[in-house]
């Protein structure tokens, strides 16, 4: 295993270096093949390591690469931690990323920066794999920053557009705020445990007081809110839709936004030390899930609906972490990767067929023009809505069942979010694929057309995974349980009170009822209309005025402070002080310059007078 595990991260790095060094001499087709192939090989390596891990009794292997940092008491190796959690992450990250890379070879065909795009994609995957495989927080932070940097490059890929450049900067700044939380957590943990390796920290939990544990958990939560787009740092993610659609799929399904949830789950032994910290996590997750769902109901851009959907679904995962349901969080993360990649790539196929149009009001009737995209998107819609027996029903139901056992108020919020999810996704489906062909009103050079096979094949694979993904955690169906496989990596998990079969059936019935209510409401409202001032509230469309609030409380005051600093502090204080010193030096120089006239006779006279004064002084002193 020690020889195979490093290959998981090496292959994407090799692809990055090959394209970087030889990109100009390679054709676009070859660049796409290399970039896709190396990620595919990384997936194969992950499968091999997974099989080897199943036959390893310890289920926990540390692979030492080399000595990295050794300063006084700080010893940080470059090493990988292969355990059920990390290899599970690697499997779906590499698998989904391979499909997105393959899709991108056709979607990005004709782009002038085609090679640069795949350069960034490979580096993105490498960074994410480094993040999840690292055996210490410092190496995790390297991957953490890597995905942040790559997201900045990819979100602002069309940097010649002001909106894209602004979105890239927004994503970068919001994530830097989250970084402060991760750094604070690292400092606190090293101060009290004298190590930054995960296993070292977990074996030293007795050295961490409840108060420090709470501070660490809250710092980790801040980090997760930035990376995984949760309140109060969630509103960078919708703007990230300015990047190409495959980027959206990669960020939302396989990398970036899942990193925050992974970090919280990885640090579960620390979370176990603070019940108040876990409750804070649960509240942030539940509120974010609901708020983002309300916002999605009023968006008109197909990609922004899916973006707020991601924020909401990640909120479910964070909620699950907060109640100690770590297995349910990872189960939803995996099934979400399947159906969210499917939905984003499906939306990309729609956008591609309409020449770049993203406004759902200008779509409609696309079902007959996209014979492969339509049925696969339909599966994605049913899955995220929570319709049984698709994967979303099982994974979301697992989360809600665990939440019900620990906090009834948050469970109610989760059920309301489920209703809204079914509603806004049905609205999206109807406006895009059903009804009249409104795209006829917009000038297009040709009728919509189905995407090429290299784009539709990943859709078919993801649709199959969305249908069968629920089997990952249904031990009664085949004997394998994802939660049982992952459980050795978790800290203390609050026990779930025993639930009778009647109660479990009742909770499942509530989940189904939530879906039915959402579907019925959406079909009733949107069957014969494109816009509704009653149900598309400006408050929701403008993201609960969140950006406006930040602009009023932070943006404008800081802008005014910057102007004052420039006009007063810079000009009248700093510049005046510097210029005053310079003027004094200049004036003194002008005075001294008069003594340096260049006349030898004056210099000789000055020397004689000087010597005379010295002689007179010495003679007078001698007497």
């Amino acid at each position: 295993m020690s020889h195979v595990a490093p290959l998981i991260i090496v292959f994407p790095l090799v692809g990055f270096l090959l394209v970087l060094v030889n990109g100009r001499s390679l054709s676009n087709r070859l660049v796409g093949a290399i970039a896709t192939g190396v990620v595919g090989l990384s997936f194969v390596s992950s499968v091999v390591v997974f099989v080897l891990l199943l036959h390893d009794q310890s289920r926990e292997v540390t692979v030492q690469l080399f000595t990295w940092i050794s300063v006084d008491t700080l010893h940080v190796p470059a090493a990988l931690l292969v355990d059920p959690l990390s290899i599970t992450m690697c499997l779906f990250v590499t698998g989904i990323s391979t499909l997105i890379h393959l899709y991108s070879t056709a979607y990005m065909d004709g782009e002038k920066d085609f090679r640069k795009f795949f350069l960034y994609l490979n580096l993105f995957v490498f960074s994410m794999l480094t993040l999840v495989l690292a055996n210490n927080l410092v190496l995790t932070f390297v991957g953490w920053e890597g995905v942040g940097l790559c997201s900045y490059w990819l979100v602002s890929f069309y940097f010649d557009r002001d909106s894209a450049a602004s979105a890239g900067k927004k994503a970068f700044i919001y994530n830097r705020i989250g970084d402060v939380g991760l750094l604070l957590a690292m400092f606190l943990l090293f101060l009290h445990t004298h190590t930054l390796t995960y296993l070292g920290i977990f074996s030293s939990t007795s050295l961490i007081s409840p108060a420090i544990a709470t501070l660490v958990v809250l710092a980790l939560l801040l980090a997760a809110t930035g990376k995984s787009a949760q309140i109060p740092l969630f509103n960078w993610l919708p703007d990230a839709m300015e990047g190409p659609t495959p980027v959206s799929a990669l960020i939302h399904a396989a990398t970036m936004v899942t990193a925050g949830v992974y970090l919280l789950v990885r640090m579960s032994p620390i979370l176990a030390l603070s019940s108040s910290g876990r409750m804070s996590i649960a509240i942030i997750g539940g509120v974010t899930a609901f708020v983002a769902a309300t916002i999605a109901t009023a968006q008109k851009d197909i990609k922004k609906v899916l973006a707020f959907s991601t924020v909401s679904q990640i909120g479910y995962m964070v909620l699950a972490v907060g109640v100690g349901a770590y297995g349910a969080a990872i189960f939803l993360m995996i099934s979400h990767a399947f159906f969210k990649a499917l939905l984003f790539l499906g939306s990309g196929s729609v956008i591609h067929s309409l020449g770049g149009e993203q406004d759902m009001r200008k779509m409609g009737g696309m079902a007959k023009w996209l014979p492969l995209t339509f049925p696969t998107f339909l599966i994605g819609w049913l899955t995220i809505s929570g319709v049984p027996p698709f994967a979303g029903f099982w994974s979301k139901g697992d989360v809600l069942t665990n939440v019900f056992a620990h906090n009834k108020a948050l469970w109610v919020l989760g059920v309301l979010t489920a209703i809204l999810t079914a509603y806004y996704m049905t609205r999206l489906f109807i406006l895009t694929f059903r009804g009249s062909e409104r795209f006829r009103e917009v000038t297009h050079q040709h009728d919509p057309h189905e995407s090429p096979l290299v784009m539709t094949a990943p859709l078919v694979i993801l649709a199959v995974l969305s249908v069968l993904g629920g089997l990952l955690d249904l031990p009664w169906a085949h004997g394998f349980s994802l939660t049982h496989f992952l459980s050795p990596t978790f800290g203390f998990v609050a026990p779930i009170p025993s639930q009778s079969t009647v109660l479990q059936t009742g909770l499942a019935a509530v989940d189904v009822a939530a879906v039915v209510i959402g579907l019925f409401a959406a079909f009733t409202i949107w069957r014969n209309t494109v816009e509704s001032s009653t149900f598309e509230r400006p408050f929701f469309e403008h993201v609960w005025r969140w950006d406006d609030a930040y602009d009023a409380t932070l943006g404008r005051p800081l802008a005014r402070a910057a102007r004052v600093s420039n006009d007063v502090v810079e000009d009248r204080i700093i510049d005046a002080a510097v210029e005053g010193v310079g003027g004094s030096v200049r004036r003194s120089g002008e005075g001294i310059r008069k003594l340096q006239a260049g006349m030898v006779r004056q210099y000789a006279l000055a020397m004689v007078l000087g010597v005379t004064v010295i002689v007179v002084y010495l003679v007078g002193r001698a007497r």
Side-chain angles (χ1 to χ4, degrees):
M1 187 184 303
S2 60
H3 298 294
V4 182
L7 296 178
I8 298 175
I9 61 175
V10 166
F11 279 125
L13 179 61
V14 168
F16 167 77
L17 294 174
L18 284 175
V19 176
L20 178 66
V21 175
N22 303 302
R24 294 185 180 276
S25 62
L26 301 175
S27 66
N28 283 358
R29 178 173 294 184
L30 189 54
V31 167
I34 291 173
T36 305
V38 293
V39 180
L41 290 173
S42 183
F43 173 69
V44 172
S45 302
S46 300
V47 173
V48 172
V49 173
F50 171 71
V51 173
L52 294 174
L53 190 65
L54 287 176
H55 294 85
D56 189 292
Q57 292 185 347
S58 68
R59 295 283 176 91
E60 191 176 78
V61 179
T62 298
V63 181
Q64 298 288 343
L65 301 179
F66 54 86
T67 301
W68 185 23
I69 300 174
S70 183
V71 180
D72 196 19
T73 60
L74 176 62
H75 302 285
V76 180
L80 309 180
L81 177 60
V82 181
D83 65 2
L85 178 59
S86 62
I87 198 60
T88 299
M89 296 292 296
C90 287
L91 283 170
F92 84 80
V93 167
T94 55
I96 299 299
S97 296
T98 300
L99 296 176
I100 293 172
H101 274 69
L102 179 62
Y103 178 98
S104 300
T105 58
Y107 188 90
M108 298 300 291
D109 188 36
E111 292 282 351
K112 64 177 182 178
D113 289 325
F114 183 91
R115 295 174 180 83
K116 185 190 296 183
F117 179 81
F118 281 94
L119 193 74
Y120 294 159
L121 285 194
N122 273 182
L123 187 59
F124 208 160
V125 175
F126 164 76
S127 299
M128 185 64 186
L129 293 173
T130 300
L131 189 159
V132 301
L133 278 171
N135 92 319
N136 60 81
L137 279 166
V138 180
L139 190 56
T140 291
F141 189 72
V142 172
W144 185 273
E145 291 302 289
V147 295
L149 178 61
C150 291
S151 68
Y152 166 72
W153 283 334
L154 288 166
V155 169
S156 56
F157 186 76
Y158 301 118
F159 58 86
D160 52 345
R161 298 199 312 237
D162 289 342
S163 57
S166 177
K169 290 184 288 186
K170 187 174 182 180
F172 190 84
I173 292 171
Y174 273 59
N175 276 271
R176 297 297 72 73
I177 298 172
D179 292 349
V180 173
L182 182 52
L183 288 171
L184 286 174
M186 291 168 62
F187 295 154
L188 287 170
L189 288 169
F190 183 74
L191 181 64
H192 290 85
T193 65
H194 308 294
T195 181
L196 287 172
T197 62
Y198 291 120
L199 299 183
I201 292 171
F202 301 156
S203 64
S204 304
T205 53
S206 60
L207 301 176
I208 303 174
S209 67
I212 295 300
T214 299
L215 290 176
V216 172
V217 171
L218 294 178
L220 293 171
L221 176 58
L222 175 60
T225 58
K227 194 66 71 178
S228 292
Q230 299 292 285
I231 289 174
L233 302 176
F234 74 103
N235 46 326
W236 68 266
L237 190 58
D239 289 358
M241 297 303 98
E242 291 290 339
T245 300
V247 172
S248 303
L250 192 63
I251 290 176
H252 291 245
T255 60
M256 194 67 176
V257 296
T258 62
V261 179
Y262 164 78
L263 178 67
L264 293 176
V265 173
R266 171 58 75 192
M267 299 300 290
S268 57
I270 303 299
L271 269 59
L273 303 177
S274 174
S275 58
S276 58
R278 293 197 307 275
M279 179 53 65
S280 299
I281 293 173
I283 292 172
I284 289 294
V287 172
T288 301
F290 177 76
V291 169
T294 61
I295 296 170
T297 62
Q299 300 303 307
K300 297 177 175 60
D301 185 315
I302 186 172
K303 288 175 63 177
K304 285 200 172 184
V305 174
L306 296 177
F308 282 109
S309 168
T310 296
V311 176
S312 183
Q313 296 296 308
I314 296 292
Y316 270 123
M317 300 174 207
V318 174
L319 172 59
V321 171
V323 299
Y326 306 117
I330 299 299
F331 183 27
L332 179 56
M333 183 189 294
I334 295 172
S335 63
H336 176 263
F338 296 155
F339 62 70
K340 188 50 61 69
L342 172 60
L343 290 169
F344 263 114
L345 297 184
S347 70
S349 183
V350 173
I351 295 167
H352 182 265
S353 71
L354 293 175
E357 183 59 65
Q358 296 182 193
D359 191 334
M360 295 183 296
R361 295 170 298 177
K362 300 176 182 178
M363 297 180 182
M366 297 296 294
K368 79 170 186 177
W369 298 101
L370 305 175
L372 269 177
T373 299
F374 168 65
T376 55
F377 198 98
L378 182 145
I379 291 174
W381 158 55
L382 294 175
T383 305
I384 190 175
S385 296
V387 174
F390 300 103
F393 170 76
W394 304 108
S395 57
K396 191 183 300 181
D398 194 8
V399 170
L400 291 175
T401 299
N402 280 274
V403 173
F404 179 84
H406 292 94
N407 191 297
K408 302 300 187 293
L410 289 175
W411 174 77
V412 171
L413 198 61
V415 171
L416 292 176
T417 302
I419 295 173
L420 292 173
T421 301
Y423 168 80
Y424 67 69
M425 285 306 303
T426 304
R427 168 179 173 267
L428 180 151
F429 182 79
I430 294 172
L431 292 180
T432 303
F433 291 98
R434 313 305 298 179
S436 61
E437 298 178 348
R438 296 180 300 280
F439 57 82
R440 298 290 184 190
E441 303 169 8
V442 183
T443 302
H444 291 293
Q445 295 179 352
H446 50 71
D447 286 335
H449 57 86
E450 183 59 277
S451 301
L453 181 62
V454 74
M455 290 174 64
T456 54
L459 297 181
V460 174
I461 296 172
L462 289 168
V464 172
L465 292 173
S466 296
V467 173
L468 302 179
L471 295 175
L472 285 173
D473 205 28
L474 297 180
W476 50 266
H478 50 69
F480 177 81
S481 169
L482 177 67
T483 300
H484 179 72
F485 175 67
L486 293 171
S487 59
T489 63
F490 302 147
F492 169 77
V493 178
I496 299 177
S498 58
Q499 296 175 335
S500 65
T501 303
V502 174
L503 177 58
Q504 293 179 0
T505 303
L507 291 175
V510 171
D511 295 342
V512 174
V515 175
V516 172
I517 293 171
L519 296 179
F520 178 78
F523 273 107
T524 302
I525 296 168
W526 297 101
R527 183 172 50 191
N528 298 312
T529 186
V530 177
E531 292 185 87
S532 173
S533 58
T534 303
F535 297 98
E536 291 181 331
R537 308 304 299 177
F539 179 70
F540 295 149
E541 184 178 0
H542 292 93
V543 195
W544 282 45
R545 306 291 181 184
W546 213 277
D547 285 315
D548 295 341
Y550 280 162
D551 185 50
T553 58
L554 294 174
R556 294 180 186 178
L558 289 175
R560 287 194 293 269
R563 284 194 293 270
V564 171
S565 297
N566 180 69
D567 298 340
V568 178
V569 178
E570 180 74 19
D571 288 348
R572 301 181 186 180
I573 300 177
I574 297 178
D575 285 353
V578 172
E579 291 173 359
V581 172
S584 300
V585 172
R586 184 178 66 252
R587 288 189 294 273
S588 63
E590 291 174 350
I592 296 173
R593 188 171 59 198
K594 295 177 181 179
L595 301 176
Q596 297 289 333
M599 302 295 290
V600 177
R601 288 176 298 178
Q602 292 181 6
Y603 295 162
L605 178 61
M607 290 174 65
V608 170
L609 292 175
V611 171
T612 301
V613 170
I614 293 172
V615 170
V616 171
Y617 170 76
L618 293 175
V619 171
R621 186 177 180 184
R623 290 180 178 179

